[in-house]
Amino acid sequence: MSKIRAQISFDDAGATIMPMGSNFTLKDKQGNEITFTLSALLRCMAIAEHEKLVPALPGEFWQQVEAKIKSN
């Protein structure tokens, strides 16, 4: 598996978040849109947790996420 790093500048202050199936679309006031899959959002959360940018979630949370992914 290769790693890809990306940086996206997006004005998320006041952005609208729209669930679209298993994806989430953010739309800012200027009409810019970006869509993320749920798995991409969870990976971002795991990275933020690892980098100590957000409080750690209970290990049970990640175990439940992993079990859900394996069941699908």
Side-chain angles (χ1 to χ4, degrees):
M1 178 200 288
S2 63
K3 292 185 178 183
I4 299 173
R5 295 194 72 137
Q7 184 173 350
I8 300 169
S9 295
F10 185 85
D11 181 11
D12 63 351
T16 302
I17 302 171
M18 299 168 285
M20 307 293 282
S22 63
N23 297 328
F24 295 88
T25 300
L26 283 82
K27 184 175 183 178
D28 68 10
K29 293 176 184 176
Q30 288 74 35
N32 301 308
E33 288 186 8
I34 187 164
T35 300
F36 292 97
T37 63
L38 179 57
S39 62
L41 289 173
L42 288 169
R43 285 189 300 239
C44 290
M45 189 66 185
I47 292 167
E49 182 180 25
H50 178 75
E51 297 291 325
K52 300 190 184 333
L53 299 171
V54 297
L57 290 165
E60 183 180 304
F61 170 82
W62 293 112
Q63 290 170 353
Q64 290 177 0
V65 167
E66 187 175 340
K68 183 71 174 172
I69 290 169
K70 287 181 180 178
S71 71
N72 288 333

